[in-house]
Amino acid sequence: MRAPPAPLATLAAEIERMPTVSWRGEIRSAAGMTLEVDGLQRVLSVGDKCHAETVRGGRVLCETIGFRNGRSLLMAFDNIEGVAEGCAATTNDTAFTLRPSIGWLGRVIDALGQPIDGHGPLRNGEHARSLRQPPPAACARRRVGEKLDTGIRVIDSFVPLCRGQRLGVFAGSGVGKSTLLSMFARHAEADAIVIGLVGERGREVREFIQDDLGAEGLARSVVIVATSDEPPLMRRQAALLCLTVAEELRDQGLHVLCLMDSVTRFAMAQREIGLAAGEPPTSKSYPPSVFAELPRLLERAGPGPDDGGSGGDITAIFTVLVDGDDHDEPIADAVRGILDGHLVLDRRIAEQGRYPAVNLLRSVSRTLPGCHSPDENRVVGRARALAATYDNMREMIRLGAYKRGTDPDTDAAMDLHPRLDAFLRQGKDDRTATPDTFAQLAALLPTTGAPT
Ligand SMILES: Nc1ncnc2c1ncn2[C@@H]1O[C@H](COP(=O)(O)OP(=O)(O)OP(=O)(O)O)[C@@H](O)[C@H]1O
Ligand SMILES: [Mg+2]
């Protein structure tokens, strides 16, 4: 028999993959977005998918989140209008899998892997990937690789990013997290970019894609979106899908830059799910599952497996919204402990109009000092020391209590301050290559004063 033409062959493969057995239970109660189902206890385990049928013949996708009183506890991905007591809950394929591929580049998709950009169906990959992949085993992972050129002066000098590193961007609301992410998306070296917009405002999604990312940025990106008005399962799944797509592209040998805005919204989604499943609230009403899920998600980014395979890596930047600028709140604390560096954006600096509003003294990259050359470390160390001196003396200088000539280091710090400020200020369309960044920074430093 002749082989069917390509689209038909794809369709035939899809049909081949379709499950043949189906199970059916009955919905017994509903509260908020959770449903109790009888009859599927032996089929559904936590994390499995299921459909709730409505009285009008519709189907609502659900996930199993636990068990209560001998019944399965489901949570819906959509609102459960039309679901009534006695309606059926059916399942035939319990695993959440999708088939991401390089063909997804340039596309905007939702948490269920459906295109939402109006550009037709997605070109799916060959292999189904579970949305809950474990990270590569710690000992079987490559080490963090060479330094990346991100094009952002403050990053490339003071908080450098290496291939396979995971960096957190911590800031209060409106301090410039999303704008900084868009600078990474447009300027940083990477083969592909996967962007997860998790729980952000709907209005900002279009602005981000059209104005910040632009056609050129979008062409090398996959954007996964679940806005703040979407149910918690959609928001959580957008984050899981973001890592799943990044893993697929990594396994194709690409260097992937994964940008997620924000991990806090992922944690909040998990909080809603955990509380609905009956978990006890702990710190700031976050249930324990939040602190178990965070490392499981964030550890999936990082260097690829060291098995001589594809050679791809996932470098990742996760934003963390710090409530009321409290950098010790539980999510910020947990995330900071997992990642390999943190960038603190400071409202006080943003108010002075200096963007990106990075607080040099509180930001740390754990790949330092190894990733810079000795000369680069000397330049950065000197600039940082002078910035710290200025910070210590700031009030004295402002009040006029410091007299120039008293301390050469403070004089040098005062000279450097306005010039360093101008160096750190960078418009979102402006890109500087790393060698130029260092040449500019070295030229700013005073030649006299304390030895370098
Ligand atoms: N590099 C920049 N250059 C000029 N202005 C900037 C820059 N970065 C941020 N801003 C200003 O800060 C505002 C807030 O930025 P952004 O939306 O990125 O903050 P955010 O931290 O993501 O906010 P939210 O917490 O509300 O999501 C922008 O509307 C813009 O006016
Ligand atoms: Mg934002």
Side-chain angles (χ1 to χ4, degrees), residues 72-287:
S72 309
L73 203 56
L74 310 185
M75 193 171 201
F77 274 87
D78 204 345
N79 79 55
I80 56 168
E81 243 172 53
V83 172
E85 188 172 2
C87 279
T90 57
T91 184
N92 48 19
D93 171 22
T94 54
F96 276 100
T97 56
L98 283 170
R99 292 185 286 121
S101 77
I102 284 189
W104 285 20
L105 288 174
R107 303 301 305 268
V108 185
I109 59 182
D110 71 5
L112 302 175
Q114 301 294 331
I116 50 172
D117 51 8
H119 294 161
L122 289 176
R123 276 203 292 128
N124 284 334
E126 274 301 300
H127 309 290
R129 292 192 83 102
S130 160
L131 294 182
R132 287 194 168 275
Q133 212 89 294
C139 297
R141 251 182 154 166
R142 274 193 302 278
R143 296 186 50 178
V144 169
E146 75 278 15
K147 193 166 64 176
L148 291 185
D149 186 344
T150 68
I152 307 170
R153 290 192 289 270
V154 62
I155 305 292
D156 292 340
S157 51
F158 291 95
V159 201
L161 184 66
C162 293
R163 186 173 160 132
Q165 189 176 349
R166 297 156 309 174
L167 190 72
V169 176
F170 295 77
S173 62
V175 187
K177 296 180 295 302
S178 306
T179 313
L180 183 60
L181 273 202
S182 74
M183 290 175 77
F184 277 107
R186 287 174 56 193
H187 303 323
E189 284 180 304
D191 299 324
I193 299 181
V194 182
I195 304 174
L197 301 178
V198 180
E200 295 296 304
R201 288 176 288 269
R203 172 184 64 79
E204 284 185 341
V205 170
R206 255 191 107 168
E207 286 174 12
F208 182 87
I209 292 168
Q210 291 178 344
D211 304 346
D212 297 340
L213 205 52
E216 205 181 308
L218 181 60
R220 60 172 190 156
S221 308
V222 181
V223 185
I224 297 142
V225 179
T227 49
S228 56
D229 55 314
E230 293 188 49
L233 276 180
M234 290 292 271
R235 284 179 267 138
R236 181 178 74 175
Q237 185 147 310
L240 299 176
L241 179 56
C242 181
L243 267 306
T244 308
V245 175
E247 284 164 345
E248 170 63 27
L249 300 181
R250 174 200 68 198
D251 291 349
Q252 304 276 335
L254 302 186
H255 170 224
V256 184
L257 182 63
C258 172
L259 307 172
M260 190 180 295
D261 197 10
S262 70
V263 174
T264 309
R265 307 284 186 207
F266 165 80
M268 288 175 171
Q270 179 61 36
R271 170 166 68 186
E272 287 180 51
I273 298 163
L275 293 177
E279 276 190 81
T282 57
S283 138
K284 282 226 169 164
S285 16
Y286 285 107

Side-chain angles (χ1 to χ4, degrees), residues 292-321:
E293 287 283 333
L294 276 173
R296 232 177 266 155
L297 179 80
L298 304 179
E299 285 285 352
R300 289 171 66 178
D306 190 11
D307 54 5
S310 73
D313 292 307
I314 305 174
T315 306
I317 300 169
F318 299 103
T319 68
V320 179
L321 175 71

Side-chain angles (χ1 to χ4, degrees), residues 9-53:
T10 315
L11 205 61
E14 295 270 353
I15 293 170
E16 191 71 22
R17 270 192 283 261
M18 286 172 98
T20 48
V21 192
S22 159
W23 291 272
R24 189 182 174 87
E26 217 169 86
I27 295 167
R28 289 285 175 228
S29 78
M33 300 202 70
T34 53
L35 303 167
E36 279 187 13
V37 170
D38 207 8
L40 291 177
Q41 296 88 314
R42 298 197 170 272
V43 180
L44 294 177
S45 48
V46 172
D48 281 351
K49 81 179 174 192
C50 183
H51 284 94
E53 293 183 0

Side-chain angles (χ1 to χ4, degrees), residues 154 175 344-361 387 394 417-418 420-426:
V154 62
V175 187
V344 176
L345 304 186
D346 195 323
R347 189 177 298 283
R348 201 176 43 121
I349 296 174
E351 279 164 2
Q352 291 162 5
R354 191 187 98 201
Y355 289 103
V358 177
N359 184 324
L360 292 189
L361 304 174
R394 179 188 297 275
H417 180 70
L420 186 62
D421 199 77
F423 166 82
L424 296 172
R425 222 174 259 264
Q426 187 169 350

